[in-house]
Amino acid sequence: MQERKERDIAPACTTKNTTSSSPVFIGVPGSGHGMSGRQAMSRRSSWESRKHHYWSDCTGNSLRASRRIGHPAPPAADAQALLESWVLEQLGLSPDLSAHPFGVASLTCSAASLTLHLDPYLGRERHSFPEHCLHRLLPAAPAPGSGDELGGIPGLRVGGTEAGGRKLRLHMVDGLGPAQLTLALPPGLPETWPAVERRHRSWVKGHGMRPLWATPWLDYEESDYLDACLARARSARATMGSALLRRLALFHTSAAFYRVRCWDEGDTWKIDACTANPSTQGHDQLLQRLCHPRWGLPVNLAHAFCHCAGHESPYAWGHTCAFYLDGLEPSGAEAIYLRVHASPEGRDHDRQIETLRRAGAPKEWMDRAFPTDALQDHRGTQRR
Ligand SMILES: [Zn+2]
């Protein structure tokens, strides 16, 4: 049984078991009775600024772009949320390290659409991330007799390209509701979507599978799979998955996790993160953002098991912190389980650093994710 440490983890959250923390709620604009016009305007401006910072951190867009986009975007409608929760499942378990969480550098969204700006490469070998995306997302019937499951998202279809082949438009087949996904290629990558799609199609056929992403109707293999999927695709779970996907940049901006994996287990989203800088600050900031009372997910931090060293102590390596976030719906079911591992990679992080550099991780982010003093401390600890 793990000993629970009560800490002031997420002051913006309403925690059930952290009695020491007092919820801090940010004021609502326009509520400044008795204030001068100038004070009210100043408070409103500060509020707007916080909002833009929040959504900039969530989406990976610059502050200027965030102001132009005009957040917050409305939450995804039902069919869109279901599609996005499938996207999170498919991209959440990446086979290798990528420069951004789940290979998505930034995103924009509306109630019935999502655009993902993709990383160019995946892992040390610099595999094409756009091609990996097609591999994970586009539906393909398994090779006869293989016993494999249907690959990709059932009912997802390619609608065409735009911006000179730089953006791929995807939608759900008729009858599965209005839902749109656009995949944007990173600037600097010379090839266009038609070339990536041809390569993927050739790979699928070469493995005896049947491409389904251009079929105008639902294939019988997809229908069978969908029946099984929809039975467990509760709307609360889909809504949470979509809301999480729309805030995925927080894993890099609020925390500096060099690897994040996410999957669905029952009705709980499991998030498994690795850090090379095991100070409490990283996960505390992330939890504050996820539980933000105004713009955060509909969750409460219910249980926290933190084993980080205190702020005045040396780094504490090799531990795991765990956080249980309950949904706000009446059943209060566990919605998210976040686990943060401090340095699970053994003696040093040279291989991770090299892989992330080759995958295109920005230098300023790498300096945050792998701070020199933490790495030196880690190596010193290993030698002792
Ligand atoms: Zn901790």
Side-chain angles (χ1 to χ4, degrees):
M1 184 91 180
Q2 286 176 306
E3 183 192 352
R4 210 185 88 224
K5 291 184 183 177
E6 293 192 344
R7 316 180 63 121
D8 189 12
I9 291 175
C13 303
T14 310
T15 58
K16 280 185 195 168
N17 298 322
T18 4
T19 51
S20 61
S21 68
S22 307
V24 175
F25 295 101
I26 300 169
V28 178
S31 64
H33 298 297
M35 285 193 298
S36 70
R38 194 169 171 177
Q39 283 173 320
M41 197 181 290
S42 164
R43 175 173 280 195
R44 192 172 299 121
S45 145
S46 157
W47 174 262
E48 282 294 304
S49 173
R50 284 181 191 178
K51 184 177 75 176
H52 290 306
H53 273 97
Y54 179 86
W55 285 104
S56 168
D57 286 350
C58 287
T59 59
N61 289 303
S62 69
L63 208 47
R64 177 187 283 187
S66 188
R67 286 198 180 98
R68 193 180 62 242
I69 293 162
H71 286 297
D78 286 352
Q80 183 69 27
L82 185 58
L83 169 60
E84 291 180 16
S85 68
W86 277 332
V87 171
L88 180 60
E89 270 189 85
Q90 293 295 330
L91 298 185
L93 286 177
S94 173
D96 209 335
L97 298 180
S98 51
H100 296 93
F102 316 135
V104 177
S106 66
L107 63 90
T108 53
C109 51
S110 72
S113 71
L114 173 70
T115 298
L116 302 179
H117 294 264
L118 305 181
D119 279 343
Y121 306 112
L122 177 68
R124 193 181 185 83
E125 307 304 324
R126 287 162 68 90
H127 295 298
S128 162
F129 186 77
E131 191 175 345
H132 168 74
C133 249
L134 297 192
H135 183 74
R136 298 297 303 170
L137 300 180
L138 296 186
S146 68
D148 292 339
E149 284 191 340
L150 182 103
I153 297 175
L156 190 64
R157 297 292 181 263
V158 171
T161 62
E162 55 189 54
R166 310 288 307 164
K167 290 185 177 180
L168 183 70
R169 284 187 290 104
L170 302 161
H171 61 89
M172 295 304 281
V173 74
D174 284 349
L176 291 180
Q180 300 276 344
L181 174 67
T182 300
L183 302 178
L185 290 174
L189 201 69
E191 63 183 353
T192 55
W193 277 117
V196 180
E197 193 265 353
R198 268 197 304 277
R199 213 163 57 233
H200 176 61
R201 179 180 290 273
S202 164
W203 184 90
V204 166
K205 287 184 170 174
H207 284 76
M209 297 186 281
R210 193 159 46 90
L212 300 176
W213 57 87
T215 313
W217 52 83
L218 207 57
D219 189 85
Y220 67 93
E221 299 249 21
E222 290 177 297
S223 300
D224 291 348
Y225 194 71
L226 265 175
D227 288 344
C229 285
L230 291 175
R232 67 179 184 88
R234 287 177 55 245
S235 69
R237 174 197 158 277
T239 302
M240 192 65 71
S242 159
L244 204 49
L245 181 68
R246 289 173 173 219
R247 291 165 178 78
L248 62 80
L250 287 176
F251 297 115
H252 264 210
T253 54
S254 287
F257 300 148
Y258 66 87
R259 177 160 197 158
V260 188
R261 290 153 60 84
C262 181
W263 68 97
D264 166 46
E265 197 171 296
D267 278 338
T268 300
W269 288 98
K270 309 272 183 184
I271 303 168
D272 198 86
C274 300
T275 177
N277 185 9
S279 66
T280 314
Q281 203 183 9
H283 58 53
D284 281 7
Q285 285 179 357
L286 174 68
L287 289 164
Q288 281 180 328
R289 293 295 169 116
L290 289 178
C291 301
H292 192 284
R294 179 100 178 186
W295 306 306
L297 302 168
V299 291
N300 278 328
L301 179 60
H303 303 284
F305 299 92
C306 177
H307 300 280
C308 293
H311 289 293
E312 301 300 319
S313 312
Y315 293 109
W317 295 100
H319 62 270
T320 298
C321 303
F323 306 95
Y324 296 82
L325 288 81
D326 284 354
L328 294 181
E329 64 180 41
S331 70
E334 185 183 299
I336 294 174
Y337 171 54
L338 168 68
R339 202 165 48 188
V340 183
H341 306 280
S343 181
E345 309 288 355
R347 186 177 174 79
D348 58 51
H349 286 285
D350 290 349
R351 185 175 176 84
Q352 282 70 39
I353 291 170
E354 174 63 15
T355 301
L356 283 161
R357 279 196 186 126
R358 290 179 61 80
K363 184 182 181 311
E364 62 275 17
W365 181 81
M366 290 286 285
D367 290 345
R368 274 204 311 119
F370 298 95
T372 309
D373 54 348
L375 292 182
Q376 282 171 349
D377 183 272
H378 186 211
R379 287 177 181 136
T381 307
Q382 295 290 330
R383 276 196 291 271
R384 281 198 286 272

